Amino acid sequence: MVKLSRSCKRDSGAALLLALWALFLLAGVVFAWALNINSRLTVSSTANRVLSAEAMASSGAEVALNPTIKPASTNLHRKMGNESYDVEMSGECGRFNLNLLAPGGVENPVLVAALRQYLNIKGVDLNDLDAMMDSLLDWTTPTKGLRRLNAPEETDDYRPPHTPLTSVDELKKIFGWAEYTSHPGWDEDFTTIIGGCQQIDAAYASRDVLRAFGIPDDFVDRFLQARAGPDALDGTADDPQMDQPTAFSLLGIGAAGTAPPPPPAPVPGTAPGTTPQVNGIQSLIVFKSTNPVFRIVSVGKSGDVTRSVQMVVQKQFTPVGVAVGVGAAIAAGRPQVLSWKEL
């Protein structure tokens, strides 16, 4: 039997340790490579889902752009395997157009008073209203060198552009509006569309917008109940085909240039024949404009990834042999996209 010398044993032990070290090193490299491949696959999979979600959101938006598609259309909701899109269409003109408060520097007193009342309904302190309204009017009207009583003086840090608002978010820059714009949903009833929404469309206006024009709550609630139909939801298939005279009658107002409609059925708790006092608002309100402007929000999903697209578009409709606001309408031409952004 051959005995190994001590030097041979030391060499064998060193070789074993070197082999084990090399094995561990190789295992670490393989493990790191596997992690890298896995992370790349994960990133690639996520990127593919993001791309698919964006494509679904864009697909839903394209469907909504079809001139014949209306808010209650079932084509606005589609699911295909692990992918889907859901589109919500709401009337942009049911909101206050802030660029119409003083177009060209000429103040619209009825609309300004309605916005003041709206802010009051939303809980804005009366002591803050004057500063908010005067600052907003100074911001949007071409009155350089002049300012309204309750608006702040111009400084290097605060310099109103004296031009129409380019977006609703611009309100955050205006003196006095910081607290109001910090609340969730503060912008739901505002728009800044230029070239559209010259009137408030009662077909899409919220309860608070209608109340802001001085229409009593009972009349507003009755109108909203009739507008929504049996399911109490706007923009669904069971919504009634209401015309403008009927809508105005429910609201207790007359069409512009006409006498007020006959008093509707009495509201519980009021005297028979009682109608709201809403002088001066007839020219500011319409029901189902023939050229409606829609806010379209398309949400695309792919797995657990969601992407959204928001558009404001104007659709062209032509009445079918009847007066505006009465009877059916047909689509005419491709909609005009006024704004587009990814949320």
Side-chain angles (χ1 to χ4, degrees):
M1 179 176 175
V2 180
K3 293 184 179 180
L4 296 175
S5 66
R6 289 185 179 182
S7 61
C8 291
K9 290 182 179 180
R10 284 197 300 268
D11 291 342
S12 298
L16 179 61
L17 290 175
L18 184 61
L20 290 174
W21 181 83
L23 182 62
F24 284 131
L25 181 62
L26 180 61
V29 170
V30 172
F31 184 69
W33 176 78
L35 286 178
N36 181 263
I37 293 297
N38 183 64
S39 63
R40 289 190 180 188
L41 289 175
T42 301
V43 170
S44 178
S45 176
T46 301
N48 287 337
R49 288 197 296 270
V50 168
L51 184 61
S52 295
E54 291 176 351
M56 294 305 296
S58 297
S59 296
E62 285 294 330
V63 170
L65 283 176
N66 188 297
T68 62
I69 293 295
K70 296 183 178 181
S73 174
T74 57
N75 291 323
L76 295 177
H77 310 279
R78 189 75 64 193
K79 184 174 179 61
M80 294 164 282
N82 199 34
E83 301 176 344
S84 65
Y85 66 76
D86 289 285
V87 182
E88 179 183 353
M89 292 178 62
S90 59
E92 187 74 3
C93 296
R95 301 170 168 87
F96 281 105
N97 191 337
L98 301 178
N99 285 326
L100 294 181
L101 293 173
V106 180
E107 188 173 315
N108 185 329
V110 177
L111 192 59
V112 169
L115 180 58
R116 288 180 61 93
Q117 179 60 18
Y118 173 84
L119 294 173
N120 185 33
I121 291 171
K122 290 297 185 180
V124 175
D125 191 279
L126 292 176
N127 295 325
D128 298 329
L129 269 176
D130 289 336
M132 292 176 65
M133 292 301 301
D134 282 0
S135 298
L136 173 58
L137 291 170
D138 264 10
W139 189 277
T140 58
T141 55
T143 55
K144 290 186 178 181
L146 302 175
R147 68 180 180 88
R148 287 171 171 78
L149 178 63
N150 298 286
E153 294 184 1
E154 295 189 18
T155 65
D156 292 338
D157 296 328
Y158 182 79
R159 192 171 297 277
H162 301 288
T163 58
L165 296 170
T166 56
S167 70
V168 173
D169 284 339
E170 198 173 342
L171 282 175
K172 297 177 181 179
K173 304 177 182 178
I174 301 178
F175 178 82
W177 285 81
E179 181 179 353
Y180 181 80
T181 57
S182 66
H183 300 295
W186 66 270
D187 57 347
E188 291 178 351
D189 288 323
F190 296 148
T191 185
T192 57
I193 292 301
I194 297 176
C197 295
Q198 301 297 309
Q199 298 169 294
I200 296 287
D201 195 333
Y204 307 104
S206 70
R207 184 175 187 270
D208 286 341
V209 168
L210 294 173
R211 293 173 65 206
F213 283 94
I215 304 174
D217 293 356
D218 292 335
F219 284 80
V220 172
D221 291 339
R222 179 172 51 191
F223 166 73
L224 294 178
Q225 182 179 5
R227 186 182 75 179
D231 67 356
L233 296 174
D234 286 319
T236 55
D238 73 339
D239 292 356
Q241 295 299 314
M242 189 185 304
D243 57 24
Q244 182 162 296
T246 302
F248 279 15
S249 178
L250 289 170
L251 290 169
I253 60 179
T258 66
V267 177
T270 65
T274 300
T275 57
Q277 301 299 315
V278 285
N279 296 327
I281 71 169
Q282 292 92 337
S283 62
L284 295 179
I285 297 181
V286 70
F287 184 79
K288 289 188 177 179
S289 168
T290 54
N291 295 314
V293 179
F294 289 103
R295 180 179 297 189
I296 298 171
V297 179
S298 177
V299 180
K301 293 183 178 180
S302 178
D304 57 352
V305 177
T306 300
R307 288 294 183 270
S308 300
V309 169
Q310 176 180 294
M311 299 183 299
V312 175
V313 303
Q314 183 170 21
K315 291 194 173 186
Q316 307 292 328
F317 288 93
T318 302
V320 184
V322 290
V324 173
V326 181
I330 59 173
R334 183 168 178 80
Q336 177 185 2
V337 179
L338 304 178
S339 69
W340 168 294
K341 66 178 180 179
E342 295 183 1
L343 302 178

